[in-house]
């Protein structure tokens, strides 16, 4: 069976799990959740929540993960791969992305930083994947001669049917209204880290407009936001509009 393998390249706290829920709600789509997470933790030694369990449960060899993402058997016509761009370290071979149908999910750096800061207190700009997202975007543009699809998380929440319809068209698949809702709670395809990171999305069953956060960012967070904004704005120029 010919499989459409969609790689969605996102940073953390971009509503990427909700988008994974959306695609996995289709009868013809299965999902893979952050396949490089264990390889990233093994290579960096970073002490993320649930690190030991993640390393026990998932393959930490990037070559094996690449094989899984590109040639493993898939039970459905479409496979949605949710990727965190900061997991794609310079030491990993990124050329496999050219074997996939790639798309990018972006979100305002201020919203990302505020959301991430609720889960991880001590973090830096490099933990948010903006540089890697830009590098992957440029690499795909250079290979194909055209920009891959880009969607903004706020646009997706405000007008999901229009944004998802246009995204599916650009990816060469049919849109389905099944993508507009999902069952609440954890799902079988979630990574084990979902019990720590997915509390909010597990309480959801559809996309909904996000509420403005009234939290004040710290001086360090403001610096991170300023670092991220140029990378966000560049991809934002190419986004699918609602």
């Amino acid at each position: 069976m010919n499989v459409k393998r969609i790689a969605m390249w996102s940073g953390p706290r971009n509503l990427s799990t909700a988008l994974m829920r959306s695609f996995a709600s289709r009868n013809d789509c299965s999902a893979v959740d952050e396949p490089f997470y264990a390889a990233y933790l093994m290579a960096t030694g970073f002490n993320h929540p649930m690190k030991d369990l993640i390393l026990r449960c998932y393959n930490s060899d990037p070559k094996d993960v690449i094989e899984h993402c590109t040639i493993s058997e898939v039970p459905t016509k479409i496979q949605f791969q949710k990727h965190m761009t900061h997991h794609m370290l310079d030491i990993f071979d990124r050329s496999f992305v050219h074997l996939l149908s790639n798309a990018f999910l972006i979100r305002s750096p201020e919203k990302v930083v505020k959301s991430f800061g609720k889960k991880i207190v001590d973090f830096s700009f490099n933990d948010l994947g903006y540089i890697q997202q830009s590098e992957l975007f440029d690499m795909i543009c250079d290979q194909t001669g055209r920009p891959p699809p880009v969607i903004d998380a706020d646009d997706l929440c405000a007008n999901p049917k229009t944004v998802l319809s246009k995204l599916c068209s650009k990816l060469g698949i049919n849109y389905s209204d099944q993508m507009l809702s999902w069952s609440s709670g954890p799902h079988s395809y979630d990574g084990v880290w979902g019990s720590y990171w997915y509390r909010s999305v597990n309480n959801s069953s559809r996309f909904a407009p996000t509420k403005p956060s009234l939290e004040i960012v710290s001086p360090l967070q403001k610096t991170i936001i300023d670092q991220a904004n140029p990378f966000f704005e560049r991809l934002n120029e190419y986004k699918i509009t609602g």
Side-chain angles (χ1 to χ4, degrees):
M1 178 173 64
N2 255 346
V3 178
K4 168 75 77 170
R5 300 174 192 263
I6 298 170
M8 184 61 65
W9 298 100
S10 171
R13 316 312 288 170
N14 275 18
L15 305 184
S16 56
T17 307
L19 186 56
M20 178 172 65
R21 293 272 189 274
S22 170
F23 271 85
S25 295
R26 300 172 57 117
N27 292 333
D28 59 355
C29 185
S30 52
V32 177
D33 191 12
E34 301 184 28
F36 281 91
Y37 199 175
Y40 166 79
L41 291 176
M42 178 63 75
T44 62
F46 290 160
N47 190 27
H48 276 209
M50 306 180 72
K51 173 185 175 180
D52 292 341
L53 180 61
I54 294 168
L55 290 176
R56 285 201 304 272
C57 292
Y58 298 94
N59 199 321
S60 60
D61 184 334
K63 293 180 180 178
D64 291 342
V65 179
I66 289 170
E67 185 173 311
H68 175 68
C69 290
T70 54
I71 63 173
S72 64
E73 289 191 19
V74 178
T76 51
K77 290 166 52 179
I78 302 170
Q79 182 188 62
F80 180 89
Q81 301 175 10
K82 171 193 158 195
H83 289 283
M84 292 291 102
T85 54
H86 64 287
H87 292 171
M88 296 310 300
L89 302 172
D90 291 342
I91 59 175
F92 294 169
D93 179 7
R94 301 179 181 178
S95 62
F96 75 95
V97 303
H98 300 308
L99 302 175
L100 307 172
S101 295
N102 298 283
F104 288 75
L105 175 64
I106 60 174
R107 192 186 189 195
S108 154
E110 182 174 347
K111 292 183 178 180
V112 170
V113 166
K114 286 181 177 180
S115 180
F116 196 78
K118 294 177 183 178
K119 293 291 187 178
I120 304 288
V121 175
D122 185 18
F123 68 97
S124 70
F125 169 62
N126 290 331
D127 294 319
L128 304 182
Y130 282 98
I131 291 176
Q132 295 94 327
Q133 192 174 45
S134 181
E135 290 173 345
L136 288 163
F137 183 82
D138 287 342
M139 191 174 85
I140 293 164
C141 287
D142 290 344
Q143 174 76 11
T144 64
R146 62 182 183 276
V150 178
I151 59 173
D152 178 272
D154 289 336
D155 294 339
L156 176 63
C157 288
N159 202 344
K161 184 169 184 175
T162 299
V163 172
L164 289 170
S165 297
K166 292 182 177 181
L167 174 62
C168 287
S169 177
K170 288 183 177 292
L171 289 169
I173 61 175
N174 293 325
Y175 165 76
S176 169
D177 277 339
Q178 293 173 333
M179 301 176 73
L180 296 178
S181 62
W182 51 85
S183 57
S184 61
H187 287 245
S188 60
Y189 50 78
D190 291 350
V192 296
W193 49 86
S195 61
Y196 182 85
W197 291 99
Y198 296 172
R199 183 175 303 171
S200 178
V201 73
N202 285 345
N203 289 327
S204 73
S205 59
R206 64 186 62 249
F207 294 108
T210 55
K211 298 177 181 178
S213 171
L214 301 179
E215 294 178 25
I216 305 299
V217 297
S218 69
L220 175 58
Q221 289 177 332
K222 178 63 166 61
T223 298
I224 295 173
I225 291 167
D226 290 342
Q227 288 177 288
N229 270 327
F231 296 94
F232 167 77
E233 291 296 344
R234 179 163 181 275
L235 267 67
N236 193 49
E237 293 178 11
Y238 297 93
K239 73 175 182 179
I240 294 170
T241 59

